[in-house]
Amino acid sequence: MRIVKKYGGSSVATIDKIKNIAQHLLERKNNVLKGEKCEIVVVLSAMGKTTNKLIELAKEITPSPNPRELDALMATGELQSIALLSIALENLGLKSISLSGSQVAIKTTGTHTKNKIETIDTKIIERYLNEDYIVVVAGFQGINIIGDTTTLGRGGSDTSAVALAATLNCDCEIYTDVKGIYSIDPRVYKDAKKIDKISYEEMMEMANLGAGVMEARAVEIGKKYGVKIYVGETLSLENGTYICDMNEIIEKRVVSGISINENVIMVSIEQFSNFPKNVSILFSLLAKNGINVDMISQSDVSDIKGHIAFTCPGTDEIILDKSLVELKKEFPDIIVGKRRDVGKISLVGIGMISNFGVAAKVFETLAETEISFHQCTTSEISISVIINKINIIKFVEKLAKNFSL
Ligand code: ADP
Ligand code: ASP
Ligand code: MG
């Protein structure tokens, strides 16, 4: 039996928690059938809010630290937790070794702070597994072609774990601070229902649209390489959620869950002559500055005094502000409005492909709650609306009732 087990930040926030995980791994090792090999690879996040604290330290010096150095700094968080777990495992008499991203040779490409895994060399891991070690790997980090430490973007330890499971050809268990994947973030809506099985597609969409419980890229890798992913609560005996192939879900729900994303900025530009050429200048400028544009709406094309609006992640705000200044130079007459008091609510469900009426019910719910929306988009398996933040709870509760979530 071979398994990759990943523990998130809150699960390794204290020494006691780390010792309890070590104890659990000891029991797991002891519980396997006689003669059966039990190969365990553990992937860890940094302890508690360590990554946030490291970023804050750098920002005490400058609001925009050099991304290479920020990567080097952030990666130290995971180095702490893996060494501590390894010490705890050895203390229980187990053989254990901690390995950084570069020691494993998790090779990455891309730009600092948002790298992608290119290859993983499993030689070292295989060697230690063969000698009965528990291998504890630092999540979230890798090494680039010139030998610099890199990180995979916030929440990236999920990706490290699933990518390792894919290369080691085994299942992946993700342990966190909730009992599994719920129809709605259980910290926002306490009556949310735990989901036993969810398809890769739905989980990917939910994660992309704001459900922070799993990183979307991790699910994408899981789907691509057929890695079975289990999400459950650290050290709990209660069943969690399996992320699996769509075909394994017999009864497809029309709507499986609701994602809430409060990290949204909505920009509206008035007095904008939205001829195709001008629209192209606008979005080329945003693209050049690396802004991830999400929803877009505009009044009639070729309207001289037109209006165009778009949304982007709140985390892009500094660069967005700079871009809007550049834009104003290009189009001096425009009136730009920026709102941070909005959020995106998305309903996700694989059954939307073959059922109609979901959008109608969403608009009925908006009508019932007398909430107006600013923007709306749909994909094959989701529908999203932008509403004011103060209305989010009220709307989500009503949606949950109307869609039995
Ligand atoms: P970890 O540090 O273990 O990676 P995260 O904070 O990244 O943990 O993810 C767990 C959190 O995800 C939960 O505490 C919960 O508030 C949030 N979450 C958001 N959407 C969902 C959902 N649909 N189901 C379960 N948890 C969710
Ligand atoms: N420690 C990193 C973060 O906080 C990676 C992770 O937890 O997955 O983003
Ligand atoms: Mg996480």
Side-chain angles (χ1 to χ4, degrees), residues 192-220:
K193 299 191 179 89
K194 194 173 73 195
I195 300 170
D196 294 333
K197 276 183 177 183
I198 187 164
S199 67
Y200 293 114
E201 289 78 5
E202 283 169 309
M203 192 61 237
M204 231 148 55
E205 191 88 347
M206 274 179 75
N208 267 326
L209 293 169
V213 62
M214 266 300 284
E215 224 222 341
R217 271 158 62 202
V219 189
E220 194 183 333

PDB file of all heavy atoms in Angstrom, residues 192-220:
ATOM      1  N   ALA A 192     -24.940  23.624   5.728  1.00  0.00           N
ATOM      2  CA  ALA A 192     -24.478  23.044   4.450  1.00  0.00           C
ATOM      3  C   ALA A 192     -24.337  21.531   4.590  1.00  0.00           C
ATOM      4  O   ALA A 192     -24.069  21.020   5.685  1.00  0.00           O
ATOM      5  CB  ALA A 192     -23.128  23.659   4.088  1.00  0.00           C
ATOM      6  N   LYS A 193     -24.503  20.822   3.470  1.00  0.00           N
ATOM      7  CA  LYS A 193     -24.461  19.353   3.522  1.00  0.00           C
ATOM      8  C   LYS A 193     -23.107  18.841   3.037  1.00  0.00           C
ATOM      9  O   LYS A 193     -22.564  19.350   2.051  1.00  0.00           O
ATOM     10  CB  LYS A 193     -25.547  18.772   2.625  1.00  0.00           C
ATOM     11  CG  LYS A 193     -26.937  19.187   3.060  1.00  0.00           C
ATOM     12  CD  LYS A 193     -28.002  18.374   2.327  1.00  0.00           C
ATOM     13  CE  LYS A 193     -29.388  18.771   2.770  1.00  0.00           C
ATOM     14  NZ  LYS A 193     -29.989  19.849   2.027  1.00  0.00           N
ATOM     15  N   LYS A 194     -22.611  17.815   3.727  1.00  0.00           N
ATOM     16  CA  LYS A 194     -21.348  17.226   3.284  1.00  0.00           C
ATOM     17  C   LYS A 194     -21.625  16.369   2.050  1.00  0.00           C
ATOM     18  O   LYS A 194     -22.633  15.675   1.985  1.00  0.00           O
ATOM     19  CB  LYS A 194     -20.742  16.381   4.405  1.00  0.00           C
ATOM     20  CG  LYS A 194     -19.299  16.036   4.144  1.00  0.00           C
ATOM     21  CD  LYS A 194     -18.667  15.358   5.333  1.00  0.00           C
ATOM     22  CE  LYS A 194     -19.197  13.948   5.441  1.00  0.00           C
ATOM     23  NZ  LYS A 194     -18.930  13.336   6.704  1.00  0.00           N
ATOM     24  N   ILE A 195     -20.720  16.452   1.088  1.00  0.00           N
ATOM     25  CA  ILE A 195     -20.902  15.710  -0.169  1.00  0.00           C
ATOM     26  C   ILE A 195     -20.042  14.445  -0.097  1.00  0.00           C
ATOM     27  O   ILE A 195     -18.862  14.518   0.234  1.00  0.00           O
ATOM     28  CB  ILE A 195     -20.460  16.602  -1.367  1.00  0.00           C
ATOM     29  CG1 ILE A 195     -21.300  17.888  -1.414  1.00  0.00           C
ATOM     30  CG2 ILE A 195     -20.537  15.841  -2.678  1.00  0.00           C
ATOM     31  CD1 ILE A 195     -20.788  18.942  -2.395  1.00  0.00           C
ATOM     32  N   ASP A 196     -20.625  13.288  -0.389  1.00  0.00           N
ATOM     33  CA  ASP A 196     -19.840  12.031  -0.317  1.00  0.00           C
ATOM     34  C   ASP A 196     -18.892  11.910  -1.509  1.00  0.00           C
ATOM     35  O   ASP A 196     -17.745  11.503  -1.355  1.00  0.00           O
ATOM     36  CB  ASP A 196     -20.765  10.812  -0.302  1.00  0.00           C
ATOM     37  CG  ASP A 196     -21.587  10.787   0.972  1.00  0.00           C
ATOM     38  OD1 ASP A 196     -21.095  11.345   1.969  1.00  0.00           O
ATOM     39  OD2 ASP A 196     -22.719  10.254   0.957  1.00  0.00           O
ATOM     40  N   LYS A 197     -19.428  12.201  -2.701  1.00  0.00           N
ATOM     41  CA  LYS A 197     -18.616  12.083  -3.918  1.00  0.00           C
ATOM     42  C   LYS A 197     -18.874  13.294  -4.787  1.00  0.00           C
ATOM     43  O   LYS A 197     -20.033  13.686  -4.991  1.00  0.00           O
ATOM     44  CB  LYS A 197     -19.074  10.861  -4.732  1.00  0.00           C
ATOM     45  CG  LYS A 197     -18.479   9.555  -4.303  1.00  0.00           C
ATOM     46  CD  LYS A 197     -18.984   8.497  -5.252  1.00  0.00           C
ATOM     47  CE  LYS A 197     -18.399   7.147  -4.959  1.00  0.00           C
ATOM     48  NZ  LYS A 197     -18.842   6.152  -5.934  1.00  0.00           N
ATOM     49  N   ILE A 198     -17.817  13.850  -5.333  1.00  0.00           N
ATOM     50  CA  ILE A 198     -17.981  14.989  -6.251  1.00  0.00           C
ATOM     51  C   ILE A 198     -17.055  14.758  -7.446  1.00  0.00           C
ATOM     52  O   ILE A 198     -15.964  14.191  -7.283  1.00  0.00           O
ATOM     53  CB  ILE A 198     -17.702  16.335  -5.519  1.00  0.00           C
ATOM     54  CG1 ILE A 198     -18.028  17.541  -6.394  1.00  0.00           C
ATOM     55  CG2 ILE A 198     -16.268  16.435  -5.012  1.00  0.00           C
ATOM     56  CD1 ILE A 198     -18.148  18.847  -5.627  1.00  0.00           C
ATOM     57  N   SER A 199     -17.507  15.178  -8.627  1.00  0.00           N
ATOM     58  CA  SER A 199     -16.669  14.941  -9.814  1.00  0.00           C
ATOM     59  C   SER A 199     -15.507  15.947  -9.867  1.00  0.00           C
ATOM     60  O   SER A 199     -15.595  17.033  -9.291  1.00  0.00           O
ATOM     61  CB  SER A 199     -17.515  15.085 -11.082  1.00  0.00           C
ATOM     62  OG  SER A 199     -17.920  16.424 -11.219  1.00  0.00           O
ATOM     63  N   TYR A 200     -14.443  15.546 -10.541  1.00  0.00           N
ATOM     64  CA  TYR A 200     -13.300  16.459 -10.717  1.00  0.00           C
ATOM     65  C   TYR A 200     -13.791  17.788 -11.299  1.00  0.00           C
ATOM     66  O   TYR A 200     -13.382  18.861 -10.874  1.00  0.00           O
ATOM     67  CB  TYR A 200     -12.272  15.862 -11.692  1.00  0.00           C
ATOM     68  CG  TYR A 200     -11.553  14.624 -11.209  1.00  0.00           C
ATOM     69  CD1 TYR A 200     -11.751  13.397 -11.840  1.00  0.00           C
ATOM     70  CD2 TYR A 200     -10.644  14.691 -10.155  1.00  0.00           C
ATOM     71  CE1 TYR A 200     -11.065  12.258 -11.424  1.00  0.00           C
ATOM     72  CE2 TYR A 200      -9.960  13.567  -9.732  1.00  0.00           C
ATOM     73  CZ  TYR A 200     -10.173  12.351 -10.370  1.00  0.00           C
ATOM     74  OH  TYR A 200      -9.496  11.235  -9.957  1.00  0.00           O
ATOM     75  N   GLU A 201     -14.681  17.673 -12.301  1.00  0.00           N
ATOM     76  CA  GLU A 201     -15.130  18.879 -13.015  1.00  0.00           C
ATOM     77  C   GLU A 201     -15.821  19.867 -12.069  1.00  0.00           C
ATOM     78  O   GLU A 201     -15.548  21.061 -12.094  1.00  0.00           O
ATOM     79  CB  GLU A 201     -16.112  18.511 -14.144  1.00  0.00           C
ATOM     80  CG  GLU A 201     -15.504  17.818 -15.341  1.00  0.00           C
ATOM     81  CD  GLU A 201     -15.210  16.332 -15.099  1.00  0.00           C
ATOM     82  OE1 GLU A 201     -15.562  15.810 -14.020  1.00  0.00           O
ATOM     83  OE2 GLU A 201     -14.634  15.684 -16.003  1.00  0.00           O
ATOM     84  N   GLU A 202     -16.743  19.308 -11.243  1.00  0.00           N
ATOM     85  CA  GLU A 202     -17.471  20.194 -10.331  1.00  0.00           C
ATOM     86  C   GLU A 202     -16.532  20.811  -9.296  1.00  0.00           C
ATOM     87  O   GLU A 202     -16.615  22.000  -8.983  1.00  0.00           O
ATOM     88  CB  GLU A 202     -18.567  19.417  -9.600  1.00  0.00           C
ATOM     89  CG  GLU A 202     -19.780  19.142 -10.442  1.00  0.00           C
ATOM     90  CD  GLU A 202     -20.700  18.149  -9.760  1.00  0.00           C
ATOM     91  OE1 GLU A 202     -20.219  17.070  -9.338  1.00  0.00           O
ATOM     92  OE2 GLU A 202     -21.889  18.437  -9.646  1.00  0.00           O
ATOM     93  N   MET A 203     -15.622  19.977  -8.765  1.00  0.00           N
ATOM     94  CA  MET A 203     -14.703  20.486  -7.738  1.00  0.00           C
ATOM     95  C   MET A 203     -13.781  21.556  -8.317  1.00  0.00           C
ATOM     96  O   MET A 203     -13.502  22.561  -7.672  1.00  0.00           O
ATOM     97  CB  MET A 203     -13.891  19.326  -7.149  1.00  0.00           C
ATOM     98  CG  MET A 203     -13.133  19.715  -5.892  1.00  0.00           C
ATOM     99  SD  MET A 203     -14.250  20.262  -4.576  1.00  0.00           S
ATOM    100  CE  MET A 203     -13.656  21.889  -4.204  1.00  0.00           C
ATOM    101  N   MET A 204     -13.351  21.326  -9.563  1.00  0.00           N
ATOM    102  CA  MET A 204     -12.483  22.291 -10.216  1.00  0.00           C
ATOM    103  C   MET A 204     -13.222  23.641 -10.367  1.00  0.00           C
ATOM    104  O   MET A 204     -12.687  24.692 -10.072  1.00  0.00           O
ATOM    105  CB  MET A 204     -12.122  21.779 -11.607  1.00  0.00           C
ATOM    106  CG  MET A 204     -10.658  21.790 -11.881  1.00  0.00           C
ATOM    107  SD  MET A 204     -10.142  20.494 -12.963  1.00  0.00           S
ATOM    108  CE  MET A 204     -11.081  20.601 -14.396  1.00  0.00           C
ATOM    109  N   GLU A 205     -14.459  23.537 -10.811  1.00  0.00           N
ATOM    110  CA  GLU A 205     -15.262  24.756 -11.020  1.00  0.00           C
ATOM    111  C   GLU A 205     -15.520  25.452  -9.671  1.00  0.00           C
ATOM    112  O   GLU A 205     -15.365  26.662  -9.555  1.00  0.00           O
ATOM    113  CB  GLU A 205     -16.594  24.377 -11.699  1.00  0.00           C
ATOM    114  CG  GLU A 205     -17.401  25.551 -12.206  1.00  0.00           C
ATOM    115  CD  GLU A 205     -17.028  25.957 -13.646  1.00  0.00           C
ATOM    116  OE1 GLU A 205     -15.993  25.507 -14.158  1.00  0.00           O
ATOM    117  OE2 GLU A 205     -17.794  26.749 -14.231  1.00  0.00           O
ATOM    118  N   MET A 206     -15.880  24.643  -8.652  1.00  0.00           N
ATOM    119  CA  MET A 206     -16.144  25.243  -7.336  1.00  0.00           C
ATOM    120  C   MET A 206     -14.891  25.935  -6.805  1.00  0.00           C
ATOM    121  O   MET A 206     -14.954  27.024  -6.251  1.00  0.00           O
ATOM    122  CB  MET A 206     -16.613  24.181  -6.333  1.00  0.00           C
ATOM    123  CG  MET A 206     -18.114  23.942  -6.398  1.00  0.00           C
ATOM    124  SD  MET A 206     -18.676  22.680  -5.251  1.00  0.00           S
ATOM    125  CE  MET A 206     -18.610  23.516  -3.683  1.00  0.00           C
ATOM    126  N   ALA A 207     -13.730  25.262  -6.977  1.00  0.00           N
ATOM    127  CA  ALA A 207     -12.477  25.829  -6.470  1.00  0.00           C
ATOM    128  C   ALA A 207     -12.118  27.100  -7.242  1.00  0.00           C
ATOM    129  O   ALA A 207     -11.772  28.116  -6.642  1.00  0.00           O
ATOM    130  CB  ALA A 207     -11.361  24.804  -6.576  1.00  0.00           C
ATOM    131  N   ASN A 208     -12.241  27.045  -8.558  1.00  0.00           N
ATOM    132  CA  ASN A 208     -11.940  28.224  -9.361  1.00  0.00           C
ATOM    133  C   ASN A 208     -12.831  29.402  -8.995  1.00  0.00           C
ATOM    134  O   ASN A 208     -12.444  30.548  -9.106  1.00  0.00           O
ATOM    135  CB  ASN A 208     -12.152  27.912 -10.849  1.00  0.00           C
ATOM    136  CG  ASN A 208     -10.860  27.446 -11.494  1.00  0.00           C
ATOM    137  OD1 ASN A 208      -9.780  27.900 -11.135  1.00  0.00           O
ATOM    138  ND2 ASN A 208     -10.973  26.520 -12.435  1.00  0.00           N
ATOM    139  N   LEU A 209     -14.058  29.092  -8.594  1.00  0.00           N
ATOM    140  CA  LEU A 209     -15.019  30.158  -8.314  1.00  0.00           C
ATOM    141  C   LEU A 209     -15.008  30.589  -6.848  1.00  0.00           C
ATOM    142  O   LEU A 209     -15.853  31.348  -6.419  1.00  0.00           O
ATOM    143  CB  LEU A 209     -16.420  29.712  -8.733  1.00  0.00           C
ATOM    144  CG  LEU A 209     -16.602  29.544 -10.255  1.00  0.00           C
ATOM    145  CD1 LEU A 209     -17.905  28.841 -10.587  1.00  0.00           C
ATOM    146  CD2 LEU A 209     -16.550  30.907 -10.947  1.00  0.00           C
ATOM    147  N   GLY A 210     -14.065  30.045  -6.081  1.00  0.00           N
ATOM    148  CA  GLY A 210     -13.894  30.597  -4.723  1.00  0.00           C
ATOM    149  C   GLY A 210     -13.925  29.623  -3.561  1.00  0.00           C
ATOM    150  O   GLY A 210     -13.660  30.021  -2.434  1.00  0.00           O
ATOM    151  N   ALA A 211     -14.277  28.335  -3.780  1.00  0.00           N
ATOM    152  CA  ALA A 211     -14.300  27.394  -2.656  1.00  0.00           C
ATOM    153  C   ALA A 211     -12.856  27.000  -2.319  1.00  0.00           C
ATOM    154  O   ALA A 211     -12.246  26.186  -2.985  1.00  0.00           O
ATOM    155  CB  ALA A 211     -15.122  26.155  -3.005  1.00  0.00           C
ATOM    156  N   GLY A 212     -12.316  27.640  -1.275  1.00  0.00           N
ATOM    157  CA  GLY A 212     -10.889  27.507  -0.973  1.00  0.00           C
ATOM    158  C   GLY A 212     -10.473  26.173  -0.395  1.00  0.00           C
ATOM    159  O   GLY A 212      -9.307  25.956  -0.099  1.00  0.00           O
ATOM    160  N   VAL A 213     -11.404  25.243  -0.244  1.00  0.00           N
ATOM    161  CA  VAL A 213     -11.084  23.974   0.420  1.00  0.00           C
ATOM    162  C   VAL A 213     -10.071  23.139  -0.368  1.00  0.00           C
ATOM    163  O   VAL A 213      -9.266  22.413   0.209  1.00  0.00           O
ATOM    164  CB  VAL A 213     -12.381  23.176   0.741  1.00  0.00           C
ATOM    165  CG1 VAL A 213     -13.138  22.814  -0.509  1.00  0.00           C
ATOM    166  CG2 VAL A 213     -12.085  21.944   1.571  1.00  0.00           C
ATOM    167  N   MET A 214     -10.072  23.227  -1.677  1.00  0.00           N
ATOM    168  CA  MET A 214      -9.094  22.518  -2.516  1.00  0.00           C
ATOM    169  C   MET A 214      -8.593  23.489  -3.565  1.00  0.00           C
ATOM    170  O   MET A 214      -9.349  24.305  -4.081  1.00  0.00           O
ATOM    171  CB  MET A 214      -9.783  21.374  -3.279  1.00  0.00           C
ATOM    172  CG  MET A 214      -9.749  20.013  -2.642  1.00  0.00           C
ATOM    173  SD  MET A 214      -8.122  19.357  -2.353  1.00  0.00           S
ATOM    174  CE  MET A 214      -7.597  18.846  -3.956  1.00  0.00           C
ATOM    175  N   GLU A 215      -7.341  23.371  -3.899  1.00  0.00           N
ATOM    176  CA  GLU A 215      -6.797  24.219  -4.946  1.00  0.00           C
ATOM    177  C   GLU A 215      -7.222  23.663  -6.308  1.00  0.00           C
ATOM    178  O   GLU A 215      -7.103  22.462  -6.558  1.00  0.00           O
ATOM    179  CB  GLU A 215      -5.280  24.183  -4.822  1.00  0.00           C
ATOM    180  CG  GLU A 215      -4.654  25.529  -4.964  1.00  0.00           C
ATOM    181  CD  GLU A 215      -3.416  25.461  -5.798  1.00  0.00           C
ATOM    182  OE1 GLU A 215      -2.873  24.364  -5.957  1.00  0.00           O
ATOM    183  OE2 GLU A 215      -3.020  26.521  -6.305  1.00  0.00           O
ATOM    184  N   ALA A 216      -7.708  24.536  -7.186  1.00  0.00           N
ATOM    185  CA  ALA A 216      -8.240  24.068  -8.473  1.00  0.00           C
ATOM    186  C   ALA A 216      -7.199  23.291  -9.289  1.00  0.00           C
ATOM    187  O   ALA A 216      -7.511  22.270  -9.903  1.00  0.00           O
ATOM    188  CB  ALA A 216      -8.752  25.259  -9.281  1.00  0.00           C
ATOM    189  N   ARG A 217      -5.934  23.768  -9.275  1.00  0.00           N
ATOM    190  CA  ARG A 217      -4.919  23.093 -10.090  1.00  0.00           C
ATOM    191  C   ARG A 217      -4.664  21.673  -9.606  1.00  0.00           C
ATOM    192  O   ARG A 217      -4.355  20.787 -10.399  1.00  0.00           O
ATOM    193  CB  ARG A 217      -3.619  23.888 -10.031  1.00  0.00           C
ATOM    194  CG  ARG A 217      -3.533  24.945 -11.108  1.00  0.00           C
ATOM    195  CD  ARG A 217      -2.565  26.009 -10.729  1.00  0.00           C
ATOM    196  NE  ARG A 217      -1.211  25.510 -10.578  1.00  0.00           N
ATOM    197  CZ  ARG A 217      -0.266  26.133  -9.855  1.00  0.00           C
ATOM    198  NH1 ARG A 217      -0.544  27.234  -9.224  1.00  0.00           N
ATOM    199  NH2 ARG A 217       0.941  25.637  -9.783  1.00  0.00           N
ATOM    200  N   ALA A 218      -4.784  21.467  -8.297  1.00  0.00           N
ATOM    201  CA  ALA A 218      -4.578  20.123  -7.752  1.00  0.00           C
ATOM    202  C   ALA A 218      -5.641  19.177  -8.324  1.00  0.00           C
ATOM    203  O   ALA A 218      -5.349  18.044  -8.728  1.00  0.00           O
ATOM    204  CB  ALA A 218      -4.668  20.157  -6.231  1.00  0.00           C
ATOM    205  N   VAL A 219      -6.878  19.672  -8.392  1.00  0.00           N
ATOM    206  CA  VAL A 219      -7.973  18.836  -8.905  1.00  0.00           C
ATOM    207  C   VAL A 219      -7.764  18.566 -10.398  1.00  0.00           C
ATOM    208  O   VAL A 219      -8.007  17.453 -10.895  1.00  0.00           O
ATOM    209  CB  VAL A 219      -9.349  19.528  -8.672  1.00  0.00           C
ATOM    210  CG1 VAL A 219     -10.484  18.572  -8.995  1.00  0.00           C
ATOM    211  CG2 VAL A 219      -9.465  20.025  -7.246  1.00  0.00           C
ATOM    212  N   GLU A 220      -7.272  19.579 -11.090  1.00  0.00           N
ATOM    213  CA  GLU A 220      -7.006  19.438 -12.533  1.00  0.00           C
ATOM    214  C   GLU A 220      -5.961  18.336 -12.777  1.00  0.00           C
ATOM    215  O   GLU A 220      -6.144  17.479 -13.655  1.00  0.00           O
ATOM    216  CB  GLU A 220      -6.493  20.788 -13.040  1.00  0.00           C
ATOM    217  CG  GLU A 220      -6.472  20.937 -14.525  1.00  0.00           C
ATOM    218  CD  GLU A 220      -5.884  22.287 -14.934  1.00  0.00           C
ATOM    219  OE1 GLU A 220      -5.958  23.263 -14.148  1.00  0.00           O
ATOM    220  OE2 GLU A 220      -5.326  22.347 -16.040  1.00  0.00           O
TER     221      GLU A 220
END
